[in-house]
Amino acid sequence: MSGRKTNVGRRDRIARTLLTPVALGAIVWLYTSVPQSSTTLAAMGGLGLLVFIFVTSALTGTCGIYAALGINTCRQCEADYGGGNIWG
């Protein structure tokens, strides 16, 4: 993880990890229960993108959207772990 600072805190990472199966369940529900239309497919694609963002940011501890907006939910990470990639 060179070049990027950890900006996703422990609670945020846990929340993203717990929300991932919820979003995946919504994709499956849309696919199986709702008639297929362009709106449904767009919703499934949007949820798929959200799942991708949740998983990658939970695993790496960095979020590009947070970096662009200047948000840092991991205020203690750099002090406690030296900016490492440990769940902090």
Side-chain angles (χ1 to χ4, degrees), residues 4-27:
R4 294 188 107 186
K5 288 185 176 182
T6 302
N7 63 356
V8 179
R10 181 178 183 216
R11 289 184 182 137
D12 200 359
R13 290 173 102 172
I14 291 170
R16 290 168 186 253
T17 303
L18 293 176
L19 287 174
T20 297
V22 173
L24 285 173
I27 292 172

Side-chain angles (χ1 to χ4, degrees), residues 29-77:
W29 178 78
L30 283 171
Y31 184 74
T32 58
S33 300
V34 178
Q36 301 300 309
S37 67
S38 59
T39 306
T40 306
L41 295 176
M44 290 179 1
L47 285 170
L49 180 63
L50 189 67
V51 166
F52 176 75
I53 292 170
F54 280 169
V55 169
T56 55
S57 62
L59 290 175
T60 62
T62 61
C63 179
I65 297 170
Y66 277 10
L69 296 175
I71 299 171
N72 184 4
T73 60
C74 188
R75 307 232 185 267
Q76 297 292 331
C77 294

